[in-house]
Amino acid sequence: MAQKFLQEINSGSRSALLKKEILCFYINNGENTLSDLGKEMGLSVPTVTKLVGELIDDGYVVDLGKLETSGGRRPNIYGLNEDSGYFVGVDINYSSVSLGIINFNGKMVTSKLDVPFNVDNSNEKFNELCQIIDNFLNNSQIPKNKILNIGINIPGRVNTRTGHSFSFFYFEERPLTDIFAERLGYNVSIDNDSRAMTYGEFLNGSVQGEKDVVYINLGWGLGMGLITNGELYYGKSGFSGEFGHYPTFDNEKLCHCGKKGCLETEVSGRYIHEVFLEQLKAGNTSILSDKFNAGEELTLDDIIGAALQDDILAIELIEEVGATLGRGMAGLINIFNPELVVIGGALAKAGDYLFLPLRSSIKKYSLNMVSNDSKIKLSKLGEKAGIIGASMLARSKTIGLI
């Protein structure tokens, strides 16, 4: 029934388009009366009543009872049936994968963060990822027939419209979404990880009504998402946001993209991790020295944690990256003049050690008249930005809102 309904609302007929608008209204505004819904959509009450009645029959809208008023006839209010469908978000990081499920109302009902997983472009890792997703869904208690879409965030170049990924799991010419769907048994959509995080922050995070937003994902790599006039910006082929691969340095460092001198080569968690280990090998001291000398693996989270414990070596590296990133962001602000810039990703956990030199650098290098109206905030969603964004995108793509 669910798949039949989704096919109907994406059929392109006038009735389908109006039903889609109603669902979008409830998603963005919450419960409301038929009269208010009709005014918002410019439709008569009889027309709205008919359409909402059909959505109730399909199970996607519910009558929530009488609206409390001070007197007179009390109208009924209507809203989304939160149990009518569920959307899964899968967020792939450099050393782990996080998973979550939202209901039709967008509320997170279950999640599992930081399942160990090292991504690379191999069939073995593809199968391992699918097994992680299978295990999560089997333990979720959500009926399989109510899972309408699985949204998977993939780092690198992703064309969400065609369903292709060109950085990971690029095994054959047919869409990766089809390969995932065959393996998992569900409808699957994919998107770039930074863009999904941007969408999560836009709908549920630091964005408070701003329509032009830049989101910086500073994790193992460096990515960016753009919201322009209230909509995600994809670019011609879906590859927008490759901020980390802006040619910046004459350092002759080979980036993992195959080019040299990319911004990401000196502004990323990868860079901090590499230089931190080099400094320890050279004899510099840190609260992590004993762990390093014992041959134990040091992670990026270990280094961030050390900085938060006032480790000078970790702090200096994070501050250096913050200042360099700020210079690059000054260029973005000069070009886009955004209302809001949100800083997210793993390095955002470093707080003021990253944020203060970043703000200082932006102020130094950006044009005052351009940057004065650009607010800069740390991510509100933190480590959940990816799964929230992925699941929200899965819902929007399923309904046809994107």
Side-chain angles (χ1 to χ4, degrees):
M1 181 177 178
Q3 298 305 322
K4 182 180 178 182
F5 165 73
L6 294 173
Q7 289 172 3
E8 178 194 342
I9 66 168
N10 287 308
S11 67
S13 69
R14 174 169 169 74
S15 175
L17 292 173
L18 290 174
K19 286 182 181 180
K20 190 183 298 186
E21 285 185 35
I22 290 171
L23 292 176
C24 184
F25 176 85
Y26 285 135
I27 286 172
N28 293 328
N29 301 284
E31 59 197 42
N32 223 310
T33 66
L34 294 179
S35 176
D36 288 339
L37 177 62
K39 290 176 184 176
E40 181 69 25
M41 296 183 62
L43 299 172
S44 67
V45 171
T47 299
V48 169
T49 301
K50 177 179 180 295
L51 292 168
V52 169
E54 292 175 1
L55 287 169
I56 290 174
D57 291 339
D58 289 322
Y60 287 85
V61 173
V62 290
D63 183 340
L64 298 169
K66 300 291 184 181
L67 177 67
E68 293 296 330
T69 61
S70 57
R73 184 177 178 183
R74 296 183 300 161
N76 284 35
I77 57 174
Y78 299 83
L80 294 176
N81 177 7
E82 64 178 22
D83 189 44
S84 58
Y86 295 85
F87 304 90
V88 181
V90 179
D91 185 41
I92 301 172
N93 301 304
Y94 80 100
S95 63
S96 66
V97 59
S98 295
L99 309 97
I101 301 177
I102 62 169
N103 61 23
F104 210 82
N105 255 333
K107 179 183 178 182
M108 186 70 65
V109 295
T110 186
S111 63
K112 188 171 185 179
L113 304 180
D114 297 328
V115 179
F117 177 73
N118 292 300
V119 63
D120 65 38
N121 190 39
S122 69
N123 277 294
E124 178 185 2
K125 286 299 180 179
F126 173 82
N127 290 325
E128 182 183 342
L129 175 63
C130 290
Q131 189 60 57
I132 291 171
I133 297 171
D134 279 338
N135 293 341
F136 174 70
L137 296 179
N138 290 336
N139 291 326
S140 71
Q141 307 301 312
I142 302 295
K144 289 189 174 182
N145 65 333
K146 288 196 172 185
I147 295 176
L148 303 181
N149 194 286
I150 299 174
I152 302 176
N153 295 346
I154 302 177
R157 283 154 292 288
V158 176
N159 189 326
T160 187
R161 294 184 178 90
T162 66
H164 288 88
S165 167
F166 298 95
S167 296
F168 294 100
F169 311 134
Y170 185 47
F171 309 128
E172 48 187 288
E173 292 300 319
R174 66 186 180 127
L176 178 60
T177 47
D178 291 351
I179 301 172
F180 267 125
E182 284 182 8
R183 171 62 178 78
L184 296 170
Y186 299 95
N187 291 326
V188 174
S189 57
I190 60 174
D191 217 314
N192 170 265
D193 57 343
S194 299
R195 191 156 44 234
M197 294 167 81
T198 305
Y199 197 63
E201 208 72 48
F202 180 67
L203 292 184
N204 255 16
S206 298
V207 181
Q208 301 295 316
E210 293 89 357
K211 299 296 183 183
D212 295 288
V213 180
V214 174
Y215 179 89
I216 301 296
N217 176 20
L218 180 58
W220 189 246
L222 175 62
M224 180 180 73
L226 290 171
I227 300 282
T228 60
N229 197 28
E231 296 183 356
L232 276 177
Y233 179 75
Y234 279 88
K236 173 63 177 178
S237 304
F239 301 147
S240 68
E242 293 291 347
F243 182 43
H245 301 293
Y246 190 85
T248 305
F249 306 111
D250 291 324
N251 56 20
E252 288 302 303
K253 286 186 179 180
L254 183 66
C255 182
H256 65 90
C257 72
K259 306 292 185 180
K260 291 183 178 181
C262 292
L263 181 60
E264 187 175 302
T265 61
E266 294 188 23
V267 180
S268 63
R270 185 197 305 267
Y271 170 78
I272 288 174
H273 187 263
E274 289 177 353
V275 175
F276 189 85
L277 295 184
E278 289 172 1
Q279 293 290 325
L280 291 182
K281 289 176 184 176
N284 290 280
T285 59
S286 160
I287 61 175
L288 296 174
S289 293
D290 288 344
K291 186 175 181 180
F292 174 77
N293 293 331
E296 297 180 44
E297 181 183 1
L298 296 184
T299 67
L300 179 59
D301 281 339
D302 289 332
I303 298 170
I304 296 169
L308 296 176
Q309 296 178 58
D310 298 325
D311 184 87
I312 298 301
L313 179 58
I315 289 171
E316 287 179 347
L317 277 172
I318 291 171
E319 288 181 338
E320 174 198 332
V321 164
T324 310
L325 174 60
R327 184 170 184 170
M329 285 175 54
L332 288 179
I333 291 171
N334 290 343
I335 293 169
F336 291 108
N337 188 207
E339 296 174 83
L340 175 66
V341 179
V342 181
I343 310 299
L347 265 295
K349 291 184 288 187
D352 282 346
Y353 290 129
L354 175 77
F355 203 54
L356 292 179
L358 182 148
R359 287 184 68 93
S360 177
S361 190
I362 289 174
K363 186 174 182 179
K364 179 179 179 180
Y365 292 107
S366 63
L367 298 172
N368 289 339
M369 290 184 65
V370 180
S371 64
N372 280 343
D373 291 330
S374 294
K375 293 175 287 186
I376 303 170
K377 296 181 182 178
L378 286 173
S379 166
K380 182 179 177 181
L381 300 181
E383 60 187 354
K384 288 190 175 181
I387 56 172
I388 290 173
S391 53
M392 292 287 188
L393 275 174
R395 182 179 66 172
S396 293
K397 291 173 182 177
T398 300
I399 299 173
L401 302 179
I402 290 182

